[in-house]
Amino acid sequence: MLGRLNHVAIAVPDLAKGVEVYRSMLGTKVSAPQAEPAHGVTVVFVELPNTKIELLEPLGDTSPIIAFLEKNPSGGIHHLCYEVADILAARDHLKEQGARVLGDGNPRIGAHGKPVLFLHPKDFCGTLVELEQA
Ligand code: CO
């Protein structure tokens, strides 16, 4: 069911510092910051040969990553995003297996302009999982 690892998302308390780490220390290509008000984050994409890293900084007082950063003040891996060919078929299959889909259970348009869903970490080895229709 799963395709490629689309990205690993890392929540950071300070996006500019995170960009410096990846651009200057690690020598990667980093995109310009992109505000995603619907998701409560500002995001940059780090391009790697085989996948992407997303650095996420909270945007607004109700950002879904604020609580995560309270527990992980220097930042941390927030979620993994796997590609699927058909997001509705994947969702229905996982729900049949008893997995919990976050939110209202319907895909939303993610940071790459494609439909995404999030799955409950307790059902996936303690990892928040994002599915993206590739
Ligand atoms: Co993501």
Side-chain angles (χ1 to χ4, degrees), residues 6-10 39 43 45 54 56 78-82 110-112 116-118 129-132:
N6 184 276
H7 61 268
V8 176
I10 300 175
H39 296 271
V43 59
F45 306 107
E54 282 185 9
L56 307 173
H78 184 261
H79 65 268
L80 301 179
C81 177
Y82 301 118
H112 309 112
V116 301
L117 278 176
F118 285 90
V129 172
E130 179 179 18
L131 298 180
E132 179 175 299

